[in-house]
mmCIF file of all heavy atoms in Angstrom:
data_model
loop_
_atom_site.group_PDB
_atom_site.id
_atom_site.type_symbol
_atom_site.label_atom_id
_atom_site.label_comp_id
_atom_site.label_asym_id
_atom_site.label_seq_id
_atom_site.Cartn_x
_atom_site.Cartn_y
_atom_site.Cartn_z
ATOM 1 N N ALA A 1 12.411 -2.388 8.622
ATOM 2 C CA ALA A 1 13.474 -1.431 8.495
ATOM 3 C C ALA A 1 14.385 -1.785 7.284
ATOM 4 O O ALA A 1 14.972 -0.895 6.679
ATOM 5 C CB ALA A 1 14.313 -1.384 9.751
ATOM 6 N N ALA A 2 14.422 -3.085 6.955
ATOM 7 C CA ALA A 2 15.255 -3.516 5.842
ATOM 8 C C ALA A 2 14.454 -3.688 4.550
ATOM 9 O O ALA A 2 14.995 -3.488 3.465
ATOM 10 C CB ALA A 2 15.940 -4.861 6.204
ATOM 11 N N HIS A 3 13.197 -4.083 4.671
ATOM 12 C CA HIS A 3 12.421 -4.394 3.473
ATOM 13 C C HIS A 3 11.182 -3.539 3.281
ATOM 14 O O HIS A 3 10.533 -3.673 2.230
ATOM 15 C CB HIS A 3 12.010 -5.880 3.560
ATOM 16 C CG HIS A 3 13.162 -6.849 3.604
ATOM 17 N ND1 HIS A 3 13.892 -7.152 2.502
ATOM 18 C CD2 HIS A 3 13.686 -7.540 4.622
ATOM 19 C CE1 HIS A 3 14.837 -8.033 2.833
ATOM 20 N NE2 HIS A 3 14.735 -8.262 4.139
ATOM 21 N N GLY A 4 10.846 -2.669 4.219
ATOM 22 C CA GLY A 4 9.677 -1.857 4.072
ATOM 23 C C GLY A 4 9.996 -0.401 3.835
ATOM 24 O O GLY A 4 11.112 -0.050 3.384
ATOM 25 N N PHE A 5 9.033 0.460 4.146
ATOM 26 C CA PHE A 5 9.186 1.910 3.931
ATOM 27 C C PHE A 5 8.760 2.645 5.179
ATOM 28 O O PHE A 5 8.022 2.117 6.008
ATOM 29 C CB PHE A 5 8.352 2.342 2.729
ATOM 30 C CG PHE A 5 8.861 1.840 1.403
ATOM 31 C CD1 PHE A 5 8.553 0.597 0.919
ATOM 32 C CD2 PHE A 5 9.719 2.615 0.648
ATOM 33 C CE1 PHE A 5 9.052 0.095 -0.254
ATOM 34 C CE2 PHE A 5 10.225 2.192 -0.565
ATOM 35 C CZ PHE A 5 9.872 0.907 -1.016
ATOM 36 N N ASP A 6 9.203 3.864 5.275
ATOM 37 C CA ASP A 6 8.802 4.712 6.378
ATOM 38 C C ASP A 6 7.419 5.345 6.120
ATOM 39 O O ASP A 6 6.673 5.651 7.043
ATOM 40 C CB ASP A 6 9.838 5.814 6.630
ATOM 41 C CG ASP A 6 11.185 5.217 6.976
ATOM 42 O OD1 ASP A 6 11.327 4.703 8.086
ATOM 43 O OD2 ASP A 6 12.077 5.266 6.098
ATOM 44 N N HIS A 7 7.151 5.594 4.837
ATOM 45 C CA HIS A 7 5.878 6.189 4.455
ATOM 46 C C HIS A 7 5.407 5.564 3.106
ATOM 47 O O HIS A 7 6.245 5.274 2.250
ATOM 48 C CB HIS A 7 6.001 7.710 4.275
ATOM 49 C CG HIS A 7 6.690 8.390 5.403
ATOM 50 N ND1 HIS A 7 6.061 8.649 6.596
ATOM 51 C CD2 HIS A 7 7.963 8.880 5.508
ATOM 52 C CE1 HIS A 7 6.940 9.271 7.389
ATOM 53 N NE2 HIS A 7 8.078 9.401 6.759
ATOM 54 N N VAL A 8 4.109 5.393 2.969
ATOM 55 C CA VAL A 8 3.537 4.973 1.684
ATOM 56 C C VAL A 8 2.499 5.992 1.232
ATOM 57 O O VAL A 8 1.613 6.349 2.004
ATOM 58 C CB VAL A 8 2.893 3.573 1.827
ATOM 59 C CG1 VAL A 8 2.143 3.207 0.539
ATOM 60 C CG2 VAL A 8 3.922 2.508 2.194
ATOM 61 N N VAL A 9 2.648 6.459 -0.006
ATOM 62 C CA VAL A 9 1.731 7.409 -0.590
ATOM 63 C C VAL A 9 1.050 6.720 -1.767
ATOM 64 O O VAL A 9 1.754 6.208 -2.657
ATOM 65 C CB VAL A 9 2.426 8.708 -1.051
ATOM 66 C CG1 VAL A 9 1.468 9.640 -1.731
ATOM 67 C CG2 VAL A 9 3.093 9.397 0.168
ATOM 68 N N VAL A 10 -0.283 6.700 -1.776
ATOM 69 C CA VAL A 10 -1.043 5.944 -2.768
ATOM 70 C C VAL A 10 -1.895 6.925 -3.618
ATOM 71 O O VAL A 10 -2.687 7.681 -3.080
ATOM 72 C CB VAL A 10 -1.990 4.924 -2.095
ATOM 73 C CG1 VAL A 10 -2.660 4.052 -3.157
ATOM 74 C CG2 VAL A 10 -1.221 4.092 -1.083
ATOM 75 N N ASP A 11 -1.715 6.859 -4.932
ATOM 76 C CA ASP A 11 -2.526 7.675 -5.830
ATOM 77 C C ASP A 11 -3.493 6.786 -6.610
ATOM 78 O O ASP A 11 -3.193 5.620 -6.904
ATOM 79 C CB ASP A 11 -1.608 8.448 -6.787
ATOM 80 C CG ASP A 11 -2.391 9.507 -7.602
ATOM 81 O OD1 ASP A 11 -3.286 10.135 -7.015
ATOM 82 O OD2 ASP A 11 -2.063 9.695 -8.783
ATOM 83 N N GLU A 12 -4.657 7.338 -6.964
ATOM 84 C CA GLU A 12 -5.705 6.591 -7.682
ATOM 85 C C GLU A 12 -6.115 5.337 -6.895
ATOM 86 O O GLU A 12 -6.185 4.230 -7.408
ATOM 87 C CB GLU A 12 -5.269 6.216 -9.093
ATOM 88 C CG GLU A 12 -4.922 7.401 -9.985
ATOM 89 C CD GLU A 12 -6.144 8.248 -10.389
ATOM 90 O OE1 GLU A 12 -7.283 7.814 -10.109
ATOM 91 O OE2 GLU A 12 -5.971 9.292 -11.006
ATOM 92 N N ALA A 13 -6.323 5.553 -5.617
ATOM 93 C CA ALA A 13 -6.570 4.441 -4.703
ATOM 94 C C ALA A 13 -7.885 3.685 -4.932
ATOM 95 O O ALA A 13 -8.036 2.550 -4.470
ATOM 96 C CB ALA A 13 -6.523 4.943 -3.253
ATOM 97 N N GLN A 14 -8.806 4.303 -5.625
ATOM 98 C CA GLN A 14 -10.154 3.709 -5.761
ATOM 99 C C GLN A 14 -10.140 2.379 -6.514
ATOM 100 O O GLN A 14 -11.068 1.625 -6.403
ATOM 101 C CB GLN A 14 -11.099 4.685 -6.449
ATOM 102 C CG GLN A 14 -10.842 4.959 -7.915
ATOM 103 C CD GLN A 14 -9.777 6.028 -8.130
ATOM 104 O OE1 GLN A 14 -9.324 6.649 -7.181
ATOM 105 N NE2 GLN A 14 -9.357 6.192 -9.386
ATOM 106 N N ASP A 15 -9.120 2.109 -7.317
ATOM 107 C CA ASP A 15 -9.092 0.883 -8.098
ATOM 108 C C ASP A 15 -8.305 -0.261 -7.459
ATOM 109 O O ASP A 15 -8.144 -1.304 -8.063
ATOM 110 C CB ASP A 15 -8.530 1.174 -9.497
ATOM 111 C CG ASP A 15 -9.523 1.900 -10.378
ATOM 112 O OD1 ASP A 15 -10.725 1.497 -10.351
ATOM 113 O OD2 ASP A 15 -9.147 2.832 -11.083
ATOM 114 N N LEU A 16 -7.813 -0.056 -6.245
ATOM 115 C CA LEU A 16 -7.032 -1.105 -5.626
ATOM 116 C C LEU A 16 -7.926 -2.155 -4.950
ATOM 117 O O LEU A 16 -8.924 -1.826 -4.320
ATOM 118 C CB LEU A 16 -6.075 -0.515 -4.580
ATOM 119 C CG LEU A 16 -5.007 0.444 -5.114
ATOM 120 C CD1 LEU A 16 -4.098 0.904 -3.990
ATOM 121 C CD2 LEU A 16 -4.198 -0.195 -6.244
ATOM 122 N N HIS A 17 -7.536 -3.397 -5.064
ATOM 123 C CA HIS A 17 -8.247 -4.533 -4.497
ATOM 124 C C HIS A 17 -7.783 -4.710 -3.045
ATOM 125 O O HIS A 17 -6.673 -4.341 -2.686
ATOM 126 C CB HIS A 17 -7.917 -5.779 -5.303
ATOM 127 C CG HIS A 17 -8.665 -7.014 -4.901
ATOM 128 N ND1 HIS A 17 -8.182 -7.859 -3.900
ATOM 129 C CD2 HIS A 17 -9.805 -7.564 -5.344
ATOM 130 C CE1 HIS A 17 -9.001 -8.856 -3.751
ATOM 131 N NE2 HIS A 17 -10.009 -8.723 -4.623
ATOM 132 N N PRO A 18 -8.619 -5.332 -2.165
ATOM 133 C CA PRO A 18 -8.192 -5.579 -0.793
ATOM 134 C C PRO A 18 -6.872 -6.285 -0.682
ATOM 135 O O PRO A 18 -6.062 -6.009 0.215
ATOM 136 C CB PRO A 18 -9.323 -6.427 -0.220
ATOM 137 C CG PRO A 18 -10.521 -5.950 -0.968
ATOM 138 C CD PRO A 18 -10.046 -5.678 -2.342
ATOM 139 N N ALA A 19 -6.557 -7.229 -1.586
ATOM 140 C CA ALA A 19 -5.262 -7.923 -1.542
ATOM 141 C C ALA A 19 -4.118 -6.951 -1.770
ATOM 142 O O ALA A 19 -3.044 -7.111 -1.206
ATOM 143 C CB ALA A 19 -5.217 -9.054 -2.597
ATOM 144 N N GLN A 20 -4.341 -5.952 -2.641
ATOM 145 C CA GLN A 20 -3.311 -4.956 -2.880
ATOM 146 C C GLN A 20 -3.173 -4.019 -1.660
ATOM 147 O O GLN A 20 -2.062 -3.621 -1.314
ATOM 148 C CB GLN A 20 -3.646 -4.162 -4.131
ATOM 149 C CG GLN A 20 -3.611 -5.039 -5.400
ATOM 150 C CD GLN A 20 -4.187 -4.305 -6.584
ATOM 151 O OE1 GLN A 20 -5.270 -3.743 -6.545
ATOM 152 N NE2 GLN A 20 -3.478 -4.358 -7.711
ATOM 153 N N TRP A 21 -4.284 -3.717 -1.028
ATOM 154 C CA TRP A 21 -4.219 -2.881 0.187
ATOM 155 C C TRP A 21 -3.449 -3.594 1.281
ATOM 156 O O TRP A 21 -2.733 -2.970 2.067
ATOM 157 C CB TRP A 21 -5.626 -2.537 0.678
ATOM 158 C CG TRP A 21 -6.256 -1.420 -0.094
ATOM 159 C CD1 TRP A 21 -7.320 -1.474 -0.921
ATOM 160 C CD2 TRP A 21 -5.850 -0.065 -0.073
ATOM 161 N NE1 TRP A 21 -7.598 -0.240 -1.453
ATOM 162 C CE2 TRP A 21 -6.706 0.666 -0.951
ATOM 163 C CE3 TRP A 21 -4.844 0.657 0.570
ATOM 164 C CZ2 TRP A 21 -6.593 2.030 -1.179
ATOM 165 C CZ3 TRP A 21 -4.702 2.021 0.368
ATOM 166 C CH2 TRP A 21 -5.571 2.706 -0.500
ATOM 167 N N ARG A 22 -3.602 -4.937 1.358
ATOM 168 C CA ARG A 22 -2.902 -5.666 2.431
ATOM 169 C C ARG A 22 -1.378 -5.602 2.265
ATOM 170 O O ARG A 22 -0.663 -5.500 3.267
ATOM 171 C CB ARG A 22 -3.370 -7.136 2.442
ATOM 172 C CG ARG A 22 -4.766 -7.334 2.967
ATOM 173 C CD ARG A 22 -5.113 -8.802 3.233
ATOM 174 N NE ARG A 22 -6.519 -8.909 3.580
ATOM 175 C CZ ARG A 22 -7.515 -9.143 2.724
ATOM 176 N NH1 ARG A 22 -7.198 -9.345 1.437
ATOM 177 N NH2 ARG A 22 -8.753 -9.201 3.119
ATOM 178 N N VAL A 23 -0.931 -5.638 1.045
ATOM 179 C CA VAL A 23 0.530 -5.571 0.828
ATOM 180 C C VAL A 23 1.047 -4.165 1.164
ATOM 181 O O VAL A 23 2.126 -3.998 1.698
ATOM 182 C CB VAL A 23 0.937 -6.020 -0.574
ATOM 183 C CG1 VAL A 23 0.588 -5.001 -1.632
ATOM 184 C CG2 VAL A 23 2.422 -6.306 -0.631
ATOM 185 N N LEU A 24 0.213 -3.152 0.895
ATOM 186 C CA LEU A 24 0.625 -1.788 1.241
ATOM 187 C C LEU A 24 0.600 -1.578 2.763
ATOM 188 O O LEU A 24 1.502 -0.937 3.333
ATOM 189 C CB LEU A 24 -0.272 -0.774 0.543
ATOM 190 C CG LEU A 24 -0.212 -0.733 -0.971
ATOM 191 C CD1 LEU A 24 -1.170 0.300 -1.535
ATOM 192 C CD2 LEU A 24 1.209 -0.425 -1.453
ATOM 193 N N ARG A 25 -0.420 -2.153 3.397
ATOM 194 C CA ARG A 25 -0.499 -2.027 4.832
ATOM 195 C C ARG A 25 0.699 -2.745 5.483
ATOM 196 O O ARG A 25 1.265 -2.278 6.511
ATOM 197 C CB ARG A 25 -1.797 -2.660 5.329
ATOM 198 C CG ARG A 25 -2.044 -2.778 6.856
ATOM 199 C CD ARG A 25 -2.188 -1.410 7.533
ATOM 200 N NE ARG A 25 -0.890 -0.748 7.765
ATOM 201 C CZ ARG A 25 -0.773 0.459 8.314
ATOM 202 N NH1 ARG A 25 -1.861 1.119 8.686
ATOM 203 N NH2 ARG A 25 0.426 0.977 8.481
ATOM 204 N N ALA A 26 1.125 -3.857 4.888
ATOM 205 C CA ALA A 26 2.253 -4.617 5.424
ATOM 206 C C ALA A 26 3.590 -3.967 5.135
ATOM 207 O O ALA A 26 4.576 -4.295 5.777
ATOM 208 C CB ALA A 26 2.235 -6.040 4.877
ATOM 209 N N ALA A 27 3.624 -3.040 4.175
ATOM 210 C CA ALA A 27 4.914 -2.449 3.748
ATOM 211 C C ALA A 27 5.374 -1.322 4.661
ATOM 212 O O ALA A 27 6.522 -0.875 4.555
ATOM 213 C CB ALA A 27 4.801 -1.923 2.319
ATOM 214 N N VAL A 28 4.528 -0.859 5.555
ATOM 215 C CA VAL A 28 4.858 0.246 6.450
ATOM 216 C C VAL A 28 4.289 -0.027 7.820
ATOM 217 O O VAL A 28 3.149 -0.488 7.954
ATOM 218 C CB VAL A 28 4.338 1.596 5.874
ATOM 219 C CG1 VAL A 28 2.828 1.584 5.711
ATOM 220 C CG2 VAL A 28 4.780 2.778 6.732
#
């Protein structure tokens, strides 16, 4: 609630690495 987001929208997702996906998954 203090450090994350309510929604995450990802564009051009095909180039993201699993480590980058993990930080997005953790952000919401």
